[in-house]
Amino acid sequence: MAAKGGELKLLGVWDSPYVNRVQIMLNLKGISYEYIEEDLLNKSKLLLNSNPVHKKVPVLIHDGKPIAESQVIVQYLDEVFSGTGPSVLPADPYKRATARFWAAFVDDKVGSPWHTILFAREAEKKADAAARIITALGTLEGAFKDCSRGGDYFGGDGIGFVDVVLGSYLGWFKVFEKMVGVRVLDAARTPLLAAWGERFAAADAAKDVLPSDVDKVIEFLQTFLD
């Protein structure tokens, strides 16, 4: 389907949090697009040509022009389709910079340990990575209180940039619980974030995007580990 403002294609993998956040953003904006599922063990020429530097998903192709890296894509969509749907980045420069800071924090302090849990062979490394995520979520509990200003989301009353970035990991938190035996997002430790997570996962833009079948995710992951 063609999107308002040009044709959009999204190259992705169904359980990738980085792909999921782009899908959530497109849903928030109400933008139509063509989704193309990639086989990461046999990457398509379209993917390799569209992202020759990293050769990774997601890649958004807008009128034939590729944009790579999930946070970059989300911000691109917010700017290019500024008149369509809600904006996730605030107009105020300071608030916008703050949102970008916390989004970068999420991918550094949550995303990096996420990779370790997925691919480390040693149980100790997986457990240490889960502990690092728990520490990061403790910091984000305070950030949520400051950024939300009493609202339901980091963006206040509506879903914002940090919500999209952090929210894309929610399905994987349940996977970690089965893989490592640790609940990283726990209401006893971070009650504000736990409540936020339930709201975000149930939001129209996210509920049909985030992976919910834990066993299916683990089975899919196993294809890269064998």
Side-chain angles (χ1 to χ4, degrees):
M1 295 177 66
K4 180 182 178 182
E7 183 184 50
L8 285 174
K9 296 180 180 180
L10 176 62
L11 312 184
V13 175
W14 66 274
D15 67 340
S16 165
Y18 308 109
V19 174
N20 292 159
R21 66 180 52 156
V22 176
Q23 293 173 300
I24 290 167
M25 182 63 181
L26 287 162
N27 288 344
L28 275 173
K29 288 286 189 179
I31 301 170
S32 299
Y33 64 98
E34 179 186 354
Y35 177 73
I36 301 173
E37 180 76 10
E38 282 287 334
D39 178 358
L40 296 185
L41 298 178
N42 185 27
K43 297 176 182 178
S44 70
K45 289 184 179 179
L46 180 59
L47 173 59
L48 297 176
N49 291 335
S50 299
N51 190 4
V53 175
H54 297 301
K55 302 177 177 63
K56 294 179 180 179
V57 294
V59 175
L60 182 76
I61 302 174
H62 185 196
D63 278 346
K65 299 176 181 178
I67 305 99
E69 298 297 315
S70 62
Q71 287 202 27
V72 173
I73 295 171
V74 169
Q75 293 181 72
Y76 175 84
L77 289 168
D78 207 40
E79 294 174 6
V80 172
F81 295 92
S82 58
T84 303
S87 293
V88 296
L89 282 162
D92 178 78
Y94 177 76
K95 292 179 180 178
R96 190 162 62 247
T98 299
R100 285 172 171 154
F101 171 86
W102 286 117
F105 177 90
V106 168
D107 276 349
D108 181 28
K109 303 300 184 181
V110 176
S112 180
W114 173 77
H115 281 278
T116 300
I117 293 174
L118 263 58
F119 299 111
R121 296 290 183 176
E122 301 86 353
E124 289 183 359
K125 288 186 177 180
K126 292 180 182 290
D128 176 71
R132 285 188 282 138
I133 292 176
I134 289 171
T135 298
L137 292 177
T139 301
L140 287 164
E141 175 87 352
F144 178 83
K145 187 175 181 180
D146 292 338
C147 295
S148 66
R149 300 175 297 280
D152 287 338
Y153 299 100
F154 280 91
D157 293 330
I159 292 173
F161 187 45
V162 183
D163 299 288
V164 172
V165 172
L166 180 58
S168 63
Y169 290 104
L170 285 172
W172 277 95
F173 289 166
K174 296 178 181 179
V175 175
F176 296 160
E177 187 172 352
K178 185 159 188 176
M179 289 178 66
V180 190
V182 177
R183 180 176 294 179
V184 295
L185 184 58
D186 185 77
R189 287 190 300 263
T190 52
L192 295 178
L193 272 190
W196 161 84
E198 291 184 2
R199 285 193 297 272
F200 185 87
D204 288 341
K207 64 183 180 182
D208 294 326
V209 172
L210 297 176
S212 57
D213 188 331
V214 171
D215 291 332
K216 183 180 177 182
V217 173
I218 293 175
E219 181 182 357
F220 182 77
L221 175 62
Q222 198 62 40
T223 63
F224 296 94
L225 301 178
D226 290 338

